[in-house]
Amino acid sequence: MEELERADELAPTARNYTRHTLYSAHSGTLGELLCALYPCPLTYREIGLRLKDDVKPEESHPFKEWIEFHADPVVGDICREFARCPDGLAERAGKDGRELHYKLPDGVPVLEDGQRARGMAGLVRS
């Protein structure tokens, strides 16, 4: 814990994720921003659920409050609602709009439905 508290630099993956998110916010579409943000709450949710089941933290556990928050069913509801946002944008946009909102590098196909965000996140847990 003390080492974490003294750390003044982000880990490379955290730095890259935040830069990607900021880039999406400044230069992308709303759909791109939502897709960039999407992995974060789902990852925390998954970690919270697993830690609650595997660690079963007692009152003295330093991350008990964090674990309980992210494992809470209300957070699951929020994550499911968040998942509907890019799907809803894609649904309303039609095929041409999906290609605009979900622009990918050359050679990467755009899916016909709003599943791209969850597929890219690699996380599908309700």
Side-chain angles (χ1 to χ4, degrees), residues 26-53:
H26 288 283
S27 64
T29 65
L30 177 59
E32 289 172 321
L33 174 59
L34 292 174
C35 289
L37 291 169
Y38 190 73
C40 192
L42 261 61
T43 299
Y44 285 5
R45 169 80 174 148
E46 183 68 25
I47 291 168
L49 288 169
R50 288 187 186 190
L51 289 174
K52 183 178 179 189
D53 291 344

Side-chain angles (χ1 to χ4, degrees), residues 11-27:
T13 52
R15 184 188 66 246
N16 293 341
Y17 176 69
T18 58
R19 297 301 182 274
H20 168 69
T21 303
L22 288 170
Y23 176 81
S24 297
H26 288 283
S27 64

Side-chain angles (χ1 to χ4, degrees), residues 1-125:
M1 283 296 292
E2 290 173 14
E3 184 180 340
L4 287 173
E5 290 171 352
R6 287 192 313 266
D8 60 352
E9 286 187 28
L10 289 173
T13 52
R15 184 188 66 246
N16 293 341
Y17 176 69
T18 58
R19 297 301 182 274
H20 168 69
T21 303
L22 288 170
Y23 176 81
S24 297
H26 288 283
S27 64
T29 65
L30 177 59
E32 289 172 321
L33 174 59
L34 292 174
C35 289
L37 291 169
Y38 190 73
C40 192
L42 261 61
T43 299
Y44 285 5
R45 169 80 174 148
E46 183 68 25
I47 291 168
L49 288 169
R50 288 187 186 190
L51 289 174
K52 183 178 179 189
D53 291 344
D54 295 350
V55 174
K56 297 175 183 39
E58 296 180 8
E59 287 299 319
S60 62
H61 193 284
F63 294 105
K64 182 181 188 331
E65 187 176 334
W66 187 97
I67 293 167
E68 287 181 346
F69 173 82
H70 290 285
D72 190 299
V74 172
V75 173
D77 293 341
I78 292 167
C79 287
R80 281 186 291 282
E81 187 61 33
F82 191 147
R84 289 186 194 97
C85 292
D87 290 352
L89 281 174
E91 203 172 286
R92 288 189 304 273
K95 186 175 188 314
D96 292 340
R98 280 193 294 274
E99 290 174 2
L100 172 65
H101 284 290
Y102 298 102
K103 183 180 170 189
L104 295 172
D106 291 340
V108 178
V110 175
L111 300 181
E112 287 301 313
D113 60 18
Q115 300 300 315
R116 179 181 171 268
R118 285 195 291 279
M120 288 192 65
L123 301 167
V124 180
R125 180 172 175 163

